Amino acid sequence: MDLSSDTKQYQSTFNSKKYCKVLSVEDDPDYQAALMNGLSALNYDDKQVEFLTASSASEAATVIAANPDISVIFLDVVMETDKAGLRLIRTIRDVIGNDLVRIVLLTGQPGMAPVDDLIGQYDIDDYWCKSDLTQAHLQTIVLSNLRTWEHLSDMKEARHGMQLLLAASQRIASKSDILEYTHSILDEISLLLKMNQGGIVCFFHPEEEPLEKALIVAASGEFASHIHRYILSVIQETVLKEAIEQANTKKSHVFLDGFSVLYFSNKELDGREYMIVVKLDRRLATNEINLLQVFCENISAGFRNVALHSKLTELAYIDPALGIHNKNWLVREIRDMFSWEREKATLLMLYVEDLAYIESVLGSKYCDQLTLSLYDHLSHFFDKSVDIALLERDTLVLIVYDDQDYCESSLESIIHTSIEVESSTHSLDLTISLVKFSDFPTYKAEQLVSVGKSTLERAKYEGVSYLAFSETLATAMFGRYELLKDLREAILNNDIVAYFQPKVSLKDNTLIGFEALARWTHKNGSSIPPDQFIVLAENSGLIDKLDQQMLQQSCKAINTLKSMGIHVPISVNVAGNEIIRPNYFDRFKALLEEEDVPNEMIELEITESQFIKEKGTINKHLSVLKTLGVRVNIDDFGTGYSSLAYLSTLSVSTIKIDHSFVWRMEESEKDWQILKMIIELGNSLGLNVIAEGIETDQQKEHLLALGCGDGQGYLFAKPMSLDDTINWIQSGL
């Protein structure tokens, strides 16, 4: 930044040094008088020169101690003793530590000591014989040494100032918060200017607002009590008010007698102007203005850094669309909690049901307003003792600090709530998970948020509106994690084996096919139920590898049975989301070709719920399978609530009635009617109908009476290993 015109004028008016001192140490009073007389007419740039005298080395030491700013010393070598003058030099240089004062050694005895030895040993600046000093020569020596001293003094002061400036700049550079940064600036300016009286104030205002709205953010000295007040209401001096207005108008620093106003702009980052007012009880020296000038560059850079840090913090901790704190902020807040805060804190995670659908119908702007209205509603419901963050588009996280024990009934008005959105009432259904911090004191911030999310997902999966995280649930989650590690290992080692359950004609019990079912015997010898590890495989991305292994084992079983003269298809279960993968058919055909199994000998079974989940894309893939001659069965039919119209469009060949209807048909008239309707529906659409879970002859006869021709269940055989399947066949079915 350039200095203002006031500053330049101020610098030209006042020099950094107004006077200087010269000391003459001489025990001959006549020569002392002659020396002072010779210097009386000295003119040093119109500055005041003060002459001091001493008649002995000991007296000189006292004078020097009282006047540390002496510029030049004329020193007689021989006074009380022959070495008194040289010992005084040692005192000045080594004891006092004054390396700036110019020492001119005078002697009345030429040749007393070699000049080079004296200068080298005693740090003498000049050496003259008294008889050689004329008045003109004396004045020349004094002026030369005065200028040299002033130059060296300025250099030392500048070095010291730059050291202070460097240290100050490093200290303020470490500040990232605007309040901490502005207070730090004031402290450093006070140190640089050695302020004992007066005061400093820092204020800011948005550039589009009038100066009357400029607010004090940091202050010291006589302004210390005025923080958070408007600057113009605090400043009493008219000249200082004018200086502030001038700095604001010119967008530059202003330096006046006793006042300085430093100007900084952050328009490109936060749209703010900052000004620092320095009030002193003296005028600034030129070197002080220079120091401030350089320091202002560092201050300006610091304001930019603080603004950038604020922007980065905003990006890191604030959702840009809604202006709500995000997960990063929430984790930081939990991590920074005091122990007493954790004792009474509860995490609530809220999922807004159908928000994605609402957004698709009413638009993102409406959903933004809905989320913000819900945010306000929650803030008021928990009486302000709450932190709220946005975890995902449809999920909010609350940290409540009221030490209450929340349960489903106490949160009922939140689970089913109504809020005002754009002047109309909108009803919402929420799913809530709860984690009480005091129940899990060893959990870190990330763990607390993670288990809150896991509990929320479990609540959604189970179809409940509220679920609290507990030790029991934690143990179950940990157990599933350990089981998942073992499952990965089992799939890698091909330890999961295909068992085969026969499908038979209910009319004559003839074998019409098999269903391949995955069975896992854990390495500890226990059998893991399929409803445990199949879900784990689906949720962890392992289902693809497991389905491939079951398909490969089924192909080998088909060839083994073929060698025995048994030609029946085997159906294998496959996840609906696997069929729609782009490379599924290529891998499927490649495996059948590799195992030399005809396409019509493999059937694929997909659950009704998976059909519904993937209904937008799955049918075109089923059509490809039909073209290949592969039959597709709908498994667990009746449990997924698919529409009849949708069923008529699917490229499937068989529907498998879920075992629950078979087991309840004799106890429930409703289930009997549903079962009858499913069988009639399948027959009318030209689909094969197979009933699962047949365990009694009575169930078999009822199904035949209802028109169901095929079935499977324990009445005929349990799922068997391939060896047991062969034995079962050989025993006559």
Side-chain angles (χ1 to χ4, degrees):
M1 301 178 186
D2 294 331
L3 291 174
S4 68
S5 58
D6 297 312
T7 303
K8 295 174 182 177
Q9 181 181 358
Y10 179 74
Q11 284 183 291
S12 64
T13 303
F14 298 98
N15 295 314
S16 59
K17 302 291 186 298
K18 301 176 184 179
Y19 66 93
C20 52
K21 298 177 181 179
V22 177
L23 170 63
S24 173
V25 186
E26 174 62 55
D27 61 354
D28 182 349
D30 292 334
Y31 188 79
Q32 183 83 284
L35 195 64
M36 292 297 101
N37 184 59
L39 293 174
S40 61
L42 182 71
N43 182 4
Y44 175 43
D45 299 335
D46 295 325
K47 294 182 181 179
Q48 179 183 350
V49 181
E50 181 180 357
F51 295 101
L52 307 173
T53 61
S55 59
S56 66
S58 59
E59 184 183 349
T62 303
V63 175
I64 292 170
N67 297 273
D69 54 347
I70 292 174
S71 307
V72 182
I73 299 176
F74 283 92
L75 180 59
D76 190 4
V77 175
V78 181
M79 287 178 289
E80 303 102 306
T81 65
D82 291 345
K83 299 281 186 163
L86 297 179
R87 282 198 298 270
L88 180 60
I89 295 173
R90 288 292 190 201
T91 301
I92 294 171
R93 298 304 194 203
D94 299 338
V95 179
I96 299 177
N98 189 339
D99 58 351
L100 286 181
V101 63
R102 307 292 293 173
I103 298 177
V104 181
L105 196 61
L106 300 179
T107 179
Q109 304 174 26
M112 183 194 73
V115 174
D116 291 342
D117 290 346
L118 285 175
I119 292 176
Q121 293 177 27
Y122 291 92
D123 193 11
I124 298 169
D125 299 296
D126 218 343
Y127 185 94
W128 290 96
C129 181
K130 294 178 180 179
S131 60
D132 294 335
L133 292 179
T134 64
Q135 182 177 11
H137 195 186
L138 178 62
Q139 291 194 5
T140 300
I141 292 172
V142 173
L143 290 174
S144 174
N145 280 282
L146 284 175
R147 290 192 174 94
T148 301
W149 173 85
E150 186 166 18
H151 176 68
L152 293 176
S153 181
D154 287 343
M155 288 181 60
K156 183 174 183 179
E157 192 170 349
R159 283 197 301 272
H160 179 64
M162 291 307 294
Q163 289 172 351
L164 292 176
L165 183 62
L166 179 60
S169 299
Q170 289 173 339
R171 285 191 290 268
I172 67 171
S174 65
K175 313 300 181 184
S176 56
D177 175 76
I178 188 62
L179 294 179
E180 186 182 15
Y181 180 68
T182 51
H183 280 93
S184 178
I185 291 172
L186 304 195
D187 292 340
E188 299 303 334
I189 291 178
S190 293
L191 289 174
L192 285 175
L193 301 183
K194 303 179 180 65
M195 294 180 61
N196 297 317
Q197 293 182 338
I200 315 176
V201 60
C202 178
F203 63 93
F204 82 93
H205 68 102
E207 290 192 328
E208 68 275 6
E209 290 189 0
L211 198 57
E212 287 74 13
K213 295 293 185 180
L215 192 67
I216 297 173
V217 291
S220 65
E222 67 179 64
F223 300 116
S225 61
H226 299 312
I227 295 177
H228 306 312
R229 293 179 62 185
Y230 295 122
I231 182 66
L232 293 185
S233 69
V234 168
I235 300 299
Q236 302 300 322
E237 296 88 346
T238 302
V239 64
L240 184 51
K241 286 187 178 181
E242 292 175 353
I244 292 173
E245 292 171 353
Q246 182 181 351
N248 184 57
T249 301
K250 293 185 176 181
K251 311 300 182 186
S252 63
H253 309 318
V254 173
F255 295 87
L256 300 175
D257 186 3
F259 302 112
S260 298
V261 181
L262 311 178
Y263 173 86
F264 307 93
S265 175
N266 249 0
K267 183 177 181 179
E268 70 279 8
L269 291 176
D270 59 11
R272 290 178 172 180
E273 292 177 308
Y274 293 87
M275 282 187 255
I276 299 174
V277 175
V278 182
K279 182 180 179 181
L280 282 169
D281 58 351
R282 60 180 175 83
R283 292 175 174 176
L284 287 177
T286 304
N287 67 304
E288 290 178 320
I289 292 180
N290 291 335
L291 279 178
L292 274 182
Q293 181 71 14
V294 177
F295 193 41
C296 283
E297 294 294 337
N298 293 315
I299 293 173
S300 181
F303 274 122
R304 288 194 295 271
N305 291 338
V306 169
L308 283 171
H309 182 271
S310 178
K311 290 289 185 183
L312 291 174
T313 300
E314 183 176 326
L315 290 174
Y317 296 120
I318 302 292
D319 179 79
L322 298 175
I324 299 175
H325 289 119
N326 61 16
K327 178 184 176 181
N328 294 334
W329 176 86
L330 180 77
V331 170
R332 186 188 67 176
E333 289 298 299
I334 299 174
R335 190 184 297 130
D336 293 341
M337 276 185 187
F338 295 108
S339 57
W340 60 267
E341 289 180 303
R342 287 181 65 113
E343 279 296 316
K344 64 177 184 178
T346 301
L347 181 147
L348 297 174
M349 196 168 289
L350 283 60
Y351 168 72
V352 183
E353 296 184 17
D354 298 326
L355 189 64
Y357 174 74
I358 294 171
E359 185 170 17
S360 69
V361 174
L362 301 176
S364 59
K365 183 178 179 182
Y366 182 87
C367 275
D368 289 345
Q369 290 300 317
L370 187 150
T371 303
L372 291 173
S373 296
L374 178 60
Y375 180 98
D376 292 337
H377 178 70
L378 294 170
S379 297
H380 287 93
F381 180 85
F382 291 100
D383 195 27
K384 303 295 183 181
S385 60
V386 62
D387 288 331
I388 305 178
L390 187 70
L391 186 73
E392 295 172 358
R393 185 73 171 97
D394 53 9
T395 306
L396 290 166
V397 189
L398 284 65
I399 305 295
V400 186
Y401 299 94
D402 55 10
D403 200 23
Q404 292 189 29
D405 290 325
Y406 289 98
C407 60
E408 185 170 5
S409 59
S410 63
L411 295 171
E412 180 64 27
S413 59
I414 293 296
I415 294 172
H416 305 292
T417 189
S418 296
I419 58 176
E420 292 294 319
V421 184
E422 296 183 351
S423 301
S424 61
T425 301
H426 190 114
S427 297
L428 288 176
D429 293 320
L430 306 181
T431 302
I432 300 179
S433 67
L434 179 146
V435 183
K436 195 168 181 61
F437 284 27
S438 59
D439 291 342
F440 304 93
T442 62
Y443 277 38
K444 296 182 179 179
E446 292 82 358
Q447 289 177 287
L448 290 165
V449 175
S450 178
V451 297
K453 177 63 173 174
S454 300
T455 306
L456 182 66
E457 292 301 323
R458 187 171 183 85
K460 290 159 60 177
Y461 177 79
E462 294 179 357
V464 297
S465 298
Y466 169 87
L467 185 62
F469 185 67
S470 62
E471 287 289 355
T472 302
L473 195 55
T475 301
M477 288 180 178
F478 180 76
R480 284 193 292 272
Y481 177 71
E482 293 298 316
L483 189 63
L484 176 59
K485 291 195 296 185
D486 294 340
L487 178 61
R488 292 183 189 277
E489 182 181 343
I491 292 177
L492 180 65
N493 297 330
N494 287 301
D495 290 339
I496 299 180
V497 180
Y499 273 47
F500 303 95
Q501 186 174 33
K503 302 176 185 178
V504 300
S505 169
L506 298 183
K507 295 178 181 179
D508 54 15
N509 287 352
T510 56
L511 179 67
I512 61 172
F514 289 95
E515 179 183 2
L517 300 165
R519 293 294 182 264
W520 178 21
T521 300
H522 194 271
K523 57 186 177 182
N524 64 12
S526 64
S527 296
I528 309 299
D531 59 356
Q532 287 188 21
F533 72 83
I534 295 296
V535 172
L536 275 181
E538 290 176 342
N539 293 334
S540 62
L542 296 173
I543 194 65
D544 177 33
K545 293 183 178 63
L546 181 58
D547 284 351
Q548 283 291 104
Q549 290 181 5
M550 292 301 100
L551 177 60
Q552 188 170 37
Q553 292 183 41
S554 297
C555 287
K556 294 183 183 300
I558 286 172
N559 287 328
T560 299
L561 295 174
K562 181 180 177 182
S563 66
M564 299 172 55
I566 305 296
H567 299 273
V568 293
I570 294 179
S571 61
V572 295
N573 293 279
V574 61
N577 58 353
E578 292 301 318
I579 282 184
I580 64 175
R581 293 186 183 277
N583 62 345
Y584 178 80
F585 295 112
D586 292 336
R587 291 189 292 116
F588 178 79
K589 289 191 297 182
L591 180 57
L592 265 59
E593 291 173 2
E594 180 183 337
E595 298 294 337
D596 192 26
V597 172
N599 293 351
E600 63 272 12
M601 296 299 288
I602 285 289
E603 297 178 358
L604 299 181
E605 293 198 3
I606 307 173
T607 63
E608 182 184 17
S609 59
Q610 289 176 323
F611 272 109
I612 296 170
K613 184 177 179 180
E614 307 294 343
K615 65 181 181 180
T617 57
I618 198 170
N619 201 36
K620 63 179 181 181
H621 297 279
L622 299 181
S623 299
V624 174
L625 286 170
K626 186 176 182 180
T627 302
L628 294 175
V630 178
R631 295 162 63 90
V632 177
N633 307 332
I634 301 180
D635 199 10
D636 301 334
F637 190 81
T639 61
Y641 310 105
S642 60
S643 69
L644 302 183
Y646 178 59
L647 179 63
S648 67
T649 66
L650 291 175
S651 296
V652 297
S653 59
T654 303
I655 56 175
K656 298 183 70 178
I657 301 172
D658 187 68
H659 60 79
S660 60
F661 295 103
V662 175
W663 293 349
R664 296 195 304 261
M665 67 178 177
E666 296 172 355
E667 302 173 358
S668 168
E669 177 65 24
K670 182 183 293 185
D671 285 315
W672 176 279
Q673 293 298 329
I674 292 175
L675 190 59
K676 179 182 178 183
M677 181 190 68
I678 292 174
I679 294 171
E680 291 175 350
L681 173 65
N683 291 334
S684 66
L685 293 175
L687 302 175
N688 295 331
V689 179
I690 297 179
E692 297 179 301
I694 302 173
E695 296 181 351
T696 65
D697 286 322
Q698 187 175 357
Q699 290 171 344
K700 171 186 172 183
E701 295 303 323
H702 285 323
L703 289 167
L704 276 172
L706 290 173
C708 180
D710 302 320
Q712 67 184 88
Y714 282 10
L715 176 64
F716 312 107
K718 296 180 179 181
M720 302 170 285
S721 66
L722 181 57
D723 289 341
D724 289 343
T725 299
I726 293 172
N727 293 334
W728 180 78
I729 293 173
Q730 290 175 340
S731 66
L733 303 182

